Amino acid sequence: MNIERYSQDINKDLLNLLLTADPDLQAIEEYIANAIIFVAKESTMFIGIVVVTLTNDQYEIKNIAVLKSHQNQGIAKQFIFKAKDYAKDKGALSIIVGTGNSSLSQLALYQKCGFRMKSIEENFFLKYPEPIFENGIRCLDMVMLSAKL
């Protein structure tokens, strides 16, 4: 498996992968337009993607998605370190990521990768078209985490 920078239009397979991590198509279309994208491929098949944005001199991981068949193999962790290295190479001192209050495994992963909880955006996910439930918990709040580089 190789992680590489992706600079083409997002195809259907990559869009479907992004939607597994963020079910808001409109939000994806907005942040993908000016994003830095890295993908992981196995042969010719995309198995993962990470989307990094730069807003007001702050790098943010907006989306990480890995095919279900390839999860729990360290791919998301590799994506996080790739995003952190990219931001650091661009002169950033930190990088942020947001995830849902119900995303327990993601919260654990980010903390294992050096992120610390920074803030909570209450009711962030109420604007999504459909309610999100994970781990038996309604996803309501965005938990923002930050990592020093």
Side-chain angles (χ1 to χ4, degrees), residues 8 40 55 60 63 66 88 95 99 103 116 123 142 149:
Q8 302 170 29
T55 307
E60 179 177 358
N63 193 319
V66 177
K88 186 176 183 177
I95 188 168
T99 194
S103 302
R116 303 277 315 267
N123 299 319
M142 173 79 79
L149 302 175

Side-chain angles (χ1 to χ4, degrees), residues 80 97-120 134-135 137 141-145:
I80 291 167
V97 64
T99 194
N101 61 284
S102 57
S103 302
L104 304 179
S105 62
Q106 291 89 333
L107 284 165
L109 173 64
Y110 293 131
Q111 291 178 84
K112 288 176 186 176
C113 292
F115 284 82
R116 303 277 315 267
M117 291 187 196
K118 180 179 178 180
S119 63
I120 297 174
E134 300 172 291
N135 302 301
I137 304 167
D141 306 322
M142 173 79 79
V143 179
M144 297 302 299
L145 300 100

Side-chain angles (χ1 to χ4, degrees), residues 80-91:
I80 291 167
F81 289 117
K82 185 72 163 181
K84 288 173 75 173
D85 288 345
Y86 177 83
K88 186 176 183 177
D89 289 347
K90 294 296 182 181

Side-chain angles (χ1 to χ4, degrees), residues 34-64:
N34 297 308
I36 298 98
I37 300 168
F38 295 96
V39 296
K41 290 171 83 173
E42 195 172 79
S43 187
T44 60
M45 181 177 69
F46 291 106
I47 59 170
I49 185 169
V50 63
V51 177
V52 180
T53 61
L54 174 61
T55 307
N56 300 325
D57 295 326
Q58 178 67 68
Y59 284 92
E60 179 177 358
I61 298 172
K62 293 296 271 190
N63 193 319
I64 295 179

Side-chain angles (χ1 to χ4, degrees), residues 15 21 34 48 75 80 120 125 130:
L15 182 59
N34 297 308
I75 298 168
I80 291 167
I120 297 174
F125 292 101
E130 298 289 327

